[in-house]
Amino acid sequence: MAYLAGMMVLSVNAGAPNNGRGEETVSRVKFARIRGRKHPYVSAQAARRWIRETMVERGSVPSPVTRVGKAQGKAQKANTQADPVRYADDDLFGYMRTGAKKDDAATTLRDSPFMLGTLMSVEPVLPTEDFGVMSRGVTEPVLHGHEFYTADLAAPFLLDVPRIGTFTLPGADGVGRPNYLTPEQALQVADAMEFGASTLQFRDQPAVQLPLEKRRERAALLPEALAHLSGGAKQALHYGDRVPSLMVLAPFQGGINPLGNVIDADPDTGVRVRGDVLLQELKAWEGEWEGPVRIGWRPGFRDQAREDFEKQCARELADGTIVIDHPRTILLQLAADLREGRLDGWFDDPAHA
């Protein structure tokens, strides 16, 4: 297996974790219109930042960021160190580092092995506008306002496990999407870090790959960060837990995610997990996935939906094809299995195994 496909749900209770552009003195939450109704969302960029920062809180060394370019509002950019050998976040989240034209500097890029969709409310929600006043110690109060909402936000994600710690290089004709490193440069960095990298052909491109032990460690960082996830705007006024309330995880051979329709909303009970849809998808992709399907479900979250799901999948739960536990337990066990080598087959690319 090469790809870990998943869906996750964050439950926002009277919160405003990701704001859009403000209007005069009012902070607005981000939302999309679907069939004329508002669906609040958290952008993938924001959620990925929460994950990166949680990794840092847990001891991962972040890639330094440098802001370059012109004044605010004009051509500008910010670059990480663009060193995926040395920094785990450059490896897992990718980057694009563009050089200055006047220096004829090269552009360095890496597609992200970790792909995340927008965390979109599964139901339409009308945000509430909260009116505030700052009157402490001033004769003329300062008026301000902001929006918040209560909603369950769902997003798909996909982790390309073999690409973790694997860095493609430009061919003789420059074809491909490489890191624009020569093998000598990449190996020199790896040797300096005592990583013991090696060269290989990866998906028909020359590549440098870190040792399996280092790749295991980096893969484990993501589920560990999700198990401790924190972050978001307005935490002082609308503190909220960001650990997912619900997760569905399944490893697949191809770079697809058939779980997109497994989580939806019932008009009466809210978010639900469609056991019938999950079983039909697993049947359609038979031979392309590896059990068990891991489901993390927090106690007290949509109890009726859980009861319905367990009835629909009773046989699969009994034989271990599907397992349900607390999301934190599922994620930490997954991280331990990755780190301790019990899932080494996930690091093999099935197309070239």
Side-chain angles (χ1 to χ4, degrees), residues 36 45-46 55-56 75 101 153 156 160 165 196 213 222 234 246 275 290 297 324 342 347:
Q45 178 187 20
M55 286 169 50
V56 173
K101 290 184 178 180
L153 314 180
D160 187 349
E213 181 179 359
L222 281 172
K234 298 290 184 184
L246 178 63
E290 176 184 290
W297 204 315
I324 301 181
R342 289 188 285 270
F347 293 89

Side-chain angles (χ1 to χ4, degrees), residues 175-192:
V175 172
R177 299 188 63 120
N179 285 342
Y180 295 105
L181 299 174
T182 66
E184 292 77 16
Q185 288 173 324
L187 286 171
Q188 183 177 9
V189 175
D191 288 340

Side-chain angles (χ1 to χ4, degrees), residues 133-143:
V133 178
M134 170 56 181
S135 59
R136 189 175 61 251
V138 295
T139 56
E140 186 173 349
V142 177
L143 309 181

Side-chain angles (χ1 to χ4, degrees), residues 61-84:
V61 178
S63 180
V65 177
T66 303
R67 190 184 188 282
V68 295
K70 299 179 181 179
Q72 188 75 25
K74 298 183 178 180
Q76 54 184 308
K77 51 197 171 184
N79 295 327
T80 69
Q81 198 71 14
D83 184 351

Side-chain angles (χ1 to χ4, degrees), residues 18 48 57 63 65 97 113 117 136 138 148-149 176 208 228 348:
N18 190 206
R48 283 162 60 92
E57 290 171 2
S63 180
V65 177
R97 180 172 182 170
R136 189 175 61 251
V138 295
F148 66 90
Y149 59 89
V208 168
H228 298 87
D348 298 328

Side-chain angles (χ1 to χ4, degrees), residues 248-264:
V248 183
L249 301 166
F252 283 84
Q253 285 190 8
I256 46 87
N257 188 335
L259 305 176
N261 294 325
V262 171
I263 294 176
D264 66 7

